[in-house]
Amino acid sequence: MIGRARDTVRGWFSPQRLREEGRTPDFRFSLANERTFLAWLRTALALLAGGIAVQQFLTEIPHGFRTVVALLLLAGGALCAVRGVNHWVRTERAIRRGDDLPLSRFPAFLALGTVLTALLVIGALLWPR
């Protein structure tokens, strides 16, 4: 398992290894995959910015609760960035091999986590002091 994870991470930093697999696809597919990756990174940056904003600006929420929400957002941003690069590599590999595109549950978990975090903040803001 550790060896597989190591090989996966190594693949993130070795895009030339992808060129050795399958055949060169229509460049439009690779560029679309890259744009999707950049969308994942924008989402990750938004979550990171949200975590910083919660910690710095929602001072009416108790400090401990605010810190938990900020950490959830920051962790979500970090996971989103890692997931984005992993999805980019897996998709590029599938395109080059002519395989089906990889499926993922991560978008559902990301959406659910975002909704739960929003509900936590809304609840904290509406909770009477």
Side-chain angles (χ1 to χ4, degrees):
M1 181 171 198
I2 291 174
R4 183 177 174 190
R6 184 184 63 238
D7 289 343
T8 297
V9 172
R10 188 178 293 151
W12 298 347
F13 298 99
S14 303
Q16 67 274 10
R17 292 171 80 191
L18 283 175
R19 288 189 175 177
E20 297 169 3
E21 295 192 35
R23 55 191 170 95
T24 302
D26 183 330
F27 69 91
R28 292 174 291 183
F29 297 120
S30 290
L31 292 175
N33 187 31
E34 188 173 317
R35 284 191 300 275
T36 302
F37 167 66
L38 294 173
W40 279 101
L41 285 185
R42 285 191 300 273
T43 302
L45 289 170
L47 288 167
L48 294 173
I52 293 167
V54 164
Q55 187 63 23
Q56 293 298 311
F57 301 117
L58 291 182
T59 55
E60 62 275 8
I61 295 176
H63 178 71
F65 186 81
R66 189 173 70 221
T67 300
V68 167
V69 171
L71 288 173
L72 285 171
L73 289 167
L74 293 170
L79 284 172
C80 196
V82 168
R83 182 64 184 107
V85 71
N86 188 51
H87 186 74
W88 173 76
V89 169
R90 291 174 57 217
T91 300
E92 191 66 24
R93 184 173 289 125
I95 291 169
R96 294 179 81 61
R97 291 179 176 174
D99 294 341
D100 290 338
L101 295 180
L103 299 176
S104 175
R105 292 184 185 105
F106 187 78
F109 288 121
L110 180 63
L112 182 61
T114 302
V115 168
L116 291 175
T117 304
L119 291 174
L120 285 173
V121 172
I122 290 167
L125 291 172
L126 296 177
W127 193 265
R129 302 240 174 245

